């Protein structure tokens, strides 16, 4: 028992005193989580209210154009900034670029007559929309739709008002006709398998992604201590004491496993309490502690086993850290860590299924986003455990050769 | 205590230990002298079970290395040439860790650590990180760890490399004290001739994987009764042809001929063989000034770039 305690204690002391490893395991993912949660907040926040800033020039100046602008002003989606009615197109353009407005529109002097259907088919448009070409098509469509529907609404209302008497005689309810059309449209989100589902926010994606990434970076401290043991002669002493290689392997697996679990807890806490302090949305946990523990343990096991294999193959810490870091970056890039899987094209999404980081990430997302439990996480956990077993098998083979003296230390 | 017979070890089919036969008396200090790459570390590694042998027999304290490795390992300790401890742990943490691995705990562990600390005079830097210690301190710690389980046999592989004269003398005295007070058998591998001369009871000279001389220190140093013949080089086949002659010690660059009753016959046969094989004699001397003189004669190490 004393042996086990001392082995664990030794490993914890070594890791704790290795500033670089602590930085890689804890500071790197914390920084990534903070940066990515804040940087990608709007990108992920697909259901958040949209607000379009827009400049307006009312050349018409009549009660109808004023009512039109008042109606638009009441919409949360638009933030209207009125300019002098005599502003020229050049002045408006200059103002757009000065203040970084993406849109402006001019209500021309024939706006009122157009709304009242008195324009008589002239060529000039009653509303001229000016658009910064950097604006995406989606946003242009949104704005065009808002302006078009409001314009149409005003024309209908003006028509109804001018034919009030006739409508009353025909027994038609004027108020019902004037009811806004959009209030009659309801929205209902639908989910696969009727699961409860959280909308993926930046923090909800960043915490598991960078957590998985950093868990695999356990390769740095593992290879540092493992290779140092070989090169400094400590392994010779251990071999002369007749310590089993399986003892040595376990001595590495257990402390680093605990280290990974501390990472999981810390990164979740950062997502829950630190990200909101900086203006991001708070990270929320799923409901299955069993699922969370299973996927965390599986990711940790596969990451440690992978790290042990690299540490056994490499001759120097430089080799190990280079191979380890490059493999992790590739796993991360392919596995949806750096770029979320849902923005990848189909073939890349299929390719990402080959990365153990993707299995880990999907497992965590099952728990954090899809309210999954152990059953949902199990397939990914099995893949990760199988991957870890294969890595450990090869590690044991290499260590066997080394212990039997067939591989020169 | 240690009996080695016809021991072989190959790396990539190249013999790094070639027919090594050696015996070490209980309680003695045997100096294993050889240039870098001569096979000292390989021999010590085999004796401690770190690497397997390819051929030959080794008995330690009556135990067969092939069958009783665990028993042998429980009785011996190796102090490798490199620092075999964790640099970011303190001296005390290292002692605690290795002590636990040796199976010690509780009061026994504490007592052994105290003793190792005392022998190595580690008190002043016991709670200092090992990496912050001087070369001499590190060497003493390296040795102290090897003493924790009270080994009956202590293998020291170049234990004074990279330390100043003061620390070196301290370490040598420390080793002599361990040997004297606990009757520990010590195998001291080094390429420092003065150390071997100072510390050893027996001396074995190893070169290119062969033991080319093994005797009591006094006998080695008073080899005036021998004739040393230095040649360009001796082929393996040539050496094999000399094997049947008694009273010869053969190295790759020279031969020592005992001045015994067969001296004349041996010399005659040697010269005949030299002539037949066109072996050029470079020098011939009678006796040696010191160990270095003998060592250089046998190994011609100064001429080799290893």
């Amino acid at each position: 028992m004393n042996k086990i305690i001392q082995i664990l204690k030794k490993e914890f002391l070594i890791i704790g005193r290795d500033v670089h490893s602590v930085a890689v395991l804890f500071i790197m993912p914390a920084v990534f989580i903070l940066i990515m949660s804040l940087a990608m907040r709007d990108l992920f926040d697909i259901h958040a209210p949209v607000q379009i800033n827009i400049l307006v020039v009312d050349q018409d100046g009549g009660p109808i154009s004023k009512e039109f602008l008042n109606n638009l002003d009441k919409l949360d989606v638009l933030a209207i900034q009125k300019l002098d009615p005599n502003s020229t197109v050049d002045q408006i353009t200059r103002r757009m670029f000065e203040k970084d407005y993406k849109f402006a529109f001019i209500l021309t002097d024939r706006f009122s007559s157009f709304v009242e259907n008195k324009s008589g088919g002239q060529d000039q448009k009653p509303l001229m929309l000016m658009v910064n070409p950097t604006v995406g098509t989606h946003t242009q469509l949104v704005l065009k739709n808002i302006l078009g529907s409001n314009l149409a609404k005003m024309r209908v209302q003006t028509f109804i008002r001018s034919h009030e008497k006739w409508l009353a005689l025909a027994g038609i309810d004027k108020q019902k006709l004037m009811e806004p059309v959009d209030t009659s449209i309801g929205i209902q989100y639908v989910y696969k398998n009727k699961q409860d589902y959280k909308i993926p926010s930046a923090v909800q994606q960043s915490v598991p992604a960078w957590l998985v990434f950093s868990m695999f970076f356990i390769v740095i401290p593992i290879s540092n201590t493992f290779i140092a043991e070989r090169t400094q002669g400590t392994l010779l002493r251990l071999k002369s004491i007749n310590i089993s290689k399986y003892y040595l392997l376990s001595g590495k697996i257990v402390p680093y496993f605990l280290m990974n679990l501390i990472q999981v807890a810390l990164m979740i806490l950062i997502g829950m309490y630190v990200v909101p302090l900086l203006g991001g949305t708070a990270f929320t946990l799923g409901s299955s502690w069993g699922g969370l523990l299973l996927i965390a343990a599986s990711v940790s096991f596969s990451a440690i086993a992978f790290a042990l294999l690299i540490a056994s193959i490499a001759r120097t810490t430089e080799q190990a850290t280079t191979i380890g870091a490059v493999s992790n970056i590739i796993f991360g890039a392919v596995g949806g860590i750096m770029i979320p899987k849902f923005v990848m094209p189909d073939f890349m999404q299929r390719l990402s299924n080959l990365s153990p980081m993707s299995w880990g990430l999907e497992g965590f997302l099952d728990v954090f986003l899809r309210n999954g439990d152990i059953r949902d996480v199990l397939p990914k956990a099995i893949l990760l455990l199988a991957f870890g077993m294969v890595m450990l098998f090869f590690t044991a083979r290499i260590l066997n050769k080394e212990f039997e003296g067939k591989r020169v230390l | 205590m240690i009996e080695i017979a016809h021991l072989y070890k190959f790396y990539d089919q190249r013999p790094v230990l070639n027919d090594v036969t050696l015996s070490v008396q209980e309680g003695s200090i045997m100096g294993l002298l050889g240039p870098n790459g001569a096979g000292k570390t390989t021999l010590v590694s085999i004796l401690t079970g770190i690497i397997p042998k390819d051929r030959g027999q080794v008995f330690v304290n009556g135990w067969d290395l092939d069958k009783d490795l665990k028993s042998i390992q429980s009785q011996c300790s190796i102090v490798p040439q490199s620092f075999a401890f964790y640099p970011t742990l303190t001296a005390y943490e290292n002692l605690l860790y290795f002590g636990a691995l040796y199976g010690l705990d509780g009061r026994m562990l504490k007592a052994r650590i105290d003793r190792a600390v005392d022998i190595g005079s580690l008190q002043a830097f016991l709670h200092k990180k090992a990496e912050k210690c001087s070369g001499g301190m590190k060497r003493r710690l390296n040795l102290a760890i090897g003493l924790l389980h009270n080994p009956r046999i202590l293998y020291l592989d170049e234990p004074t490399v990279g330390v100043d004269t003061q620390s070196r003398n301290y370490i040598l005295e420390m080793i002599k004290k361990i040997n004297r007070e606990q009757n520990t058998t010590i195998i001291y591998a080094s390429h420092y001739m003065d150390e071997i001369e100072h510390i050893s009871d027996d001396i074995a000279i190893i070169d290119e994987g062969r033991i080319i001389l093994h005797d009591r220190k006094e006998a080695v140093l008073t080899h005036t009764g021998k004739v040393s013949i230095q040649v360009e080089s001796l082929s393996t086949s040539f050496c094999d042809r000399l094997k049947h002659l008694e009273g010869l010690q053969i190295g790759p660059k020279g031969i020592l001929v005992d001045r015994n009753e067969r001296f004349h016959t041996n010399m005659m046969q040697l010269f005949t063989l030299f002539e037949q094989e066109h072996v050029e004699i470079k020098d011939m001397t009678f006796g040696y000034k010191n160990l270095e003189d003998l060592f250089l004669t046998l190994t011609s190490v100064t001429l080799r770039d290893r």
Side-chain angles (χ1 to χ4, degrees):
Chain A
M1 193 63 191
N2 188 39
K3 245 183 221 182
I4 297 166
I5 293 169
Q6 290 301 332
I7 287 175
L8 296 181
K9 187 181 158 192
K10 181 263 293 180
E11 215 64 50
F12 275 114
L13 285 172
I14 289 174
I15 303 165
R17 287 170 192 174
D18 183 357
V19 182
H20 298 106
S21 298
V22 172
V24 166
L25 294 184
F26 296 102
I27 300 173
M28 179 193 77
V31 170
F32 270 129
I33 286 171
L34 291 174
I35 292 174
M36 295 303 176
S37 299
L38 299 175
M40 301 207 294
R41 187 183 57 187
D42 295 343
L43 180 72
F44 275 86
D45 221 354
I46 53 172
H47 295 232
V50 179
Q51 193 168 55
I52 302 170
N53 295 308
I54 190 160
L55 294 172
V56 176
V57 174
D58 182 8
Q59 290 175 349
D60 183 278
I64 290 178
S65 66
K66 280 195 174 70
E67 189 188 342
F68 178 74
L69 290 177
N70 282 340
N71 288 343
L72 292 180
D73 220 10
K74 285 174 196 163
L75 299 173
D76 293 333
V77 73
L78 295 182
I80 289 174
Q81 173 71 46
K82 286 179 189 161
L83 294 180
D84 185 83
N86 299 319
S87 302
T88 62
V89 171
D90 284 346
Q91 285 169 327
I92 300 166
T93 309
R94 205 176 315 125
R95 190 68 187 268
M96 279 175 77
F97 286 104
E98 272 170 14
K99 300 285 178 187
D100 198 29
Y101 278 88
K102 304 295 180 200
F103 299 99
F105 67 81
I106 303 166
L107 300 179
T108 63
D109 53 7
R110 54 177 297 273
F111 181 79
S112 297
S113 56
F114 172 79
V115 172
E116 289 172 325
N117 288 311
K118 293 176 183 170
S119 55
Q122 290 172 27
D123 289 341
Q124 197 194 357
K125 302 275 183 195
L127 191 154
M128 179 59 69
L129 183 62
M130 298 165 74
V131 183
N132 182 318
T134 60
V135 177
T137 321
H138 292 110
T139 319
Q140 282 186 49
L141 279 173
V142 168
L143 183 63
K144 219 173 149 187
N145 191 32
I146 293 168
L147 295 175
S149 63
N150 272 279
L151 194 55
K153 197 166 88 181
M154 274 213 74
R155 290 189 80 181
V156 169
Q157 285 175 351
T158 310
F159 176 82
I160 292 167
R161 274 198 291 262
S162 61
H163 296 81
E164 250 176 279
K165 286 176 193 169
W166 298 107
L167 289 168
L169 280 174
I172 297 169
D173 185 351
K174 186 186 88 175
Q175 289 307 321
K176 274 206 166 177
L177 275 179
M178 287 173 76
E179 252 180 27
V181 181
D182 55 353
T183 54
S184 54
I185 302 169
I187 295 178
Q188 185 187 351
Y189 293 109
V190 289
Y191 304 111
K192 193 179 170 187
N193 302 332
K194 293 184 179 172
Q195 272 183 321
D196 189 6
Y197 188 91
K198 284 178 200 158
I199 293 157
S201 65
V203 72
Q204 220 60 30
Q205 164 79 20
S206 294
V207 169
W210 297 108
L211 173 60
V212 170
F213 191 63
S214 66
M215 284 170 86
F216 270 82
F217 265 87
I218 205 88
V219 68
I220 306 285
I222 285 186
S223 44
N224 274 346
T225 52
F226 207 74
I227 292 169
E229 275 177 357
R230 275 207 312 237
T231 53
Q232 286 164 1
T234 324
L235 195 62
L236 291 182
R237 182 165 258 151
L238 295 175
K239 281 166 78 175
S240 79
I241 300 172
N242 205 359
I243 295 289
S244 146
K245 52 191 167 293
Y246 300 107
Y247 228 128
L248 290 179
L249 272 183
S250 314
K252 292 275 176 285
I253 292 172
V254 175
Y256 287 103
F257 178 74
L258 293 175
M259 197 62 68
N260 273 159
L261 294 189
I262 295 171
Q263 277 183 300
V264 174
L266 265 178
M267 296 313 130
I268 287 175
L269 289 173
I270 286 172
M272 288 170 84
Y273 300 108
V274 183
V275 173
L277 289 179
L278 300 172
T281 45
F283 178 77
T284 53
L285 282 170
S287 55
S288 171
W289 287 100
L292 175 59
L293 205 65
L294 176 63
I295 194 66
S298 312
V299 172
S300 174
F301 177 71
S302 65
I304 292 169
F306 179 61
L308 283 172
L309 180 65
I310 287 178
S312 327
I313 293 168
R315 304 270 169 167
T316 61
T317 46
E318 288 79 10
Q319 270 182 12
T321 46
T322 310
I323 298 170
V326 169
S327 323
N328 281 351
I329 289 166
I330 293 170
F331 279 156
V334 174
I337 303 292
M338 294 167 185
I339 306 142
K341 261 170 92 170
F342 63 81
V343 300
M344 290 181 184
D346 274 355
F347 78 96
M348 279 301 293
Q349 289 196 18
R350 280 197 297 274
L351 186 69
S352 78
N353 292 333
L354 298 174
S355 164
M357 281 195 196
S358 164
W359 310 333
L361 177 59
E362 285 304 311
F364 275 118
L365 291 176
D366 275 344
V367 176
F368 295 147
L369 279 182
R370 297 161 200 139
N371 271 345
D373 55 18
I374 292 180
R375 274 169 305 169
D376 299 300
V377 164
L378 196 60
K380 288 104 185 176
I382 288 170
L383 276 174
L384 286 162
L385 293 173
F387 174 79
M389 292 304 287
V390 172
M391 298 292 112
L392 266 192
F393 170 76
F394 285 114
T395 307
R397 282 196 67 161
I398 292 169
L399 283 184
N400 262 336
K401 276 191 175 180
E402 213 165 84
F403 268 67
E404 287 162 12
K406 288 176 189 163
R407 184 174 186 253
V408 182
L409 300 178
Chain B
M1 187 75 178
I2 303 173
E3 296 293 336
I4 305 164
H6 307 293
L7 182 66
Y8 286 86
K9 177 73 188 173
F10 299 90
Y11 281 134
D12 301 324
Q13 295 176 330
R14 185 178 61 85
V16 283
L17 288 181
N18 194 348
D19 196 18
V20 170
T21 297
L22 202 62
S23 66
V24 183
Q25 299 303 309
E26 185 171 1
S28 68
I29 301 179
M30 196 201 72
L32 187 60
L33 180 67
N36 293 330
K40 301 187 296 290
T41 303
T42 306
L43 179 57
V44 167
S45 299
I46 289 174
L47 295 179
T48 48
I50 291 171
I51 55 169
K53 61 185 170 58
D54 288 326
R55 280 214 307 261
Q57 282 189 304
V58 177
F59 288 92
V60 179
N61 203 22
W63 285 309
D64 188 342
L65 186 73
D66 293 328
K67 296 171 189 161
D68 307 302
L69 180 61
K70 270 197 169 179
S71 306
I72 292 173
Q73 284 181 322
S74 70
Q75 301 263 308
C76 70
S77 184
I78 182 170
V79 178
Q81 184 176 351
S82 46
F83 296 123
F85 50 74
Y86 296 94
T88 53
L89 299 187
T90 65
Y92 184 75
E93 286 162 352
N94 270 297
L95 288 165
L96 203 62
Y97 171 68
F98 284 105
L101 291 193
Y102 280 125
L104 305 169
D105 60 5
R107 260 190 256 169
M108 175 68 89
L109 176 59
K110 196 186 171 307
R112 292 285 177 81
I113 289 176
D114 288 345
R115 195 178 127 260
V117 168
D118 189 43
I119 293 172
S121 287
L122 306 177
Q123 293 87 348
F125 61 97
L126 198 56
H127 298 289
K128 199 172 171 183
K129 274 189 200 173
E131 65 189 358
K132 306 272 182 199
C133 296
S134 69
M137 290 170 177
K138 285 179 186 166
R139 286 281 160 210
R140 273 145 58 197
L141 174 61
N142 210 21
L143 181 50
I145 292 169
L147 300 176
L148 280 170
H149 70 304
N150 227 359
R152 286 185 66 191
I153 306 166
L154 186 60
Y155 296 94
L156 302 165
D157 189 5
E158 307 273 9
T160 59
V161 168
V163 299
D164 57 37
T165 315
Q166 225 178 4
S167 294
R168 196 171 152 198
N169 286 339
Y170 185 88
I171 291 167
L172 292 177
E173 287 314 311
M174 191 175 153
I175 293 163
K176 280 176 116 173
K177 193 177 164 193
I178 297 162
N179 168 254
R180 197 171 53 240
E181 291 180 357
Q182 288 155 48
N183 200 34
T184 309
T185 307
I186 292 170
I187 286 84
Y188 189 97
S190 177
H191 65 276
Y192 293 131
M193 283 160 267
D194 55 337
E195 282 183 9
I196 296 281
E197 202 170 328
H198 175 73
I199 204 169
S200 309
D201 300 317
D202 296 329
I203 294 174
I205 297 178
I206 185 169
D207 191 28
E208 296 189 335
R210 293 166 191 259
I211 298 290
I212 53 177
L213 181 68
H214 175 218
D215 215 331
R216 300 288 299 169
K217 179 167 73 179
E218 294 74 23
V220 168
L221 293 174
T222 53
H223 262 300
T224 46
K226 297 194 181 194
V227 171
S228 161
I229 305 168
Q230 278 183 271
V231 293
E232 269 300 325
S233 66
L234 292 175
S235 65
T236 314
S237 59
F238 188 81
C239 292
D240 289 343
R241 292 178 69 184
L242 298 178
K243 268 185 179 171
H244 70 282
L245 300 178
E246 284 176 24
L248 293 190
Q249 275 141 26
I250 307 153
K253 299 280 180 178
I255 301 168
L256 286 175
V257 188
D258 285 345
R259 296 194 71 175
N260 56 16
E261 66 280 2
R262 290 186 51 84
F263 177 67
H264 288 104
T265 322
N266 281 347
M267 290 298 272
M268 289 285 281
Q269 287 195 20
L270 269 177
F271 283 119
T272 311
L273 282 169
F274 284 156
E275 199 176 351
Q276 281 172 5
E277 298 284 332
H278 306 291
V279 177
E280 193 184 323
I281 298 172
K282 285 175 67 188
D283 199 5
M284 224 168 99
T285 50
F286 293 84
Y288 306 95
K289 293 192 285 283
N290 52 30
L291 184 58
E292 187 168 348
D293 190 24
L294 170 68
F295 181 72
L296 292 178
T297 305
L298 287 171
T299 62
S300 295
V301 75
T302 49
L303 302 175
R304 271 183 267 165
D305 182 17
R306 289 172 183 274

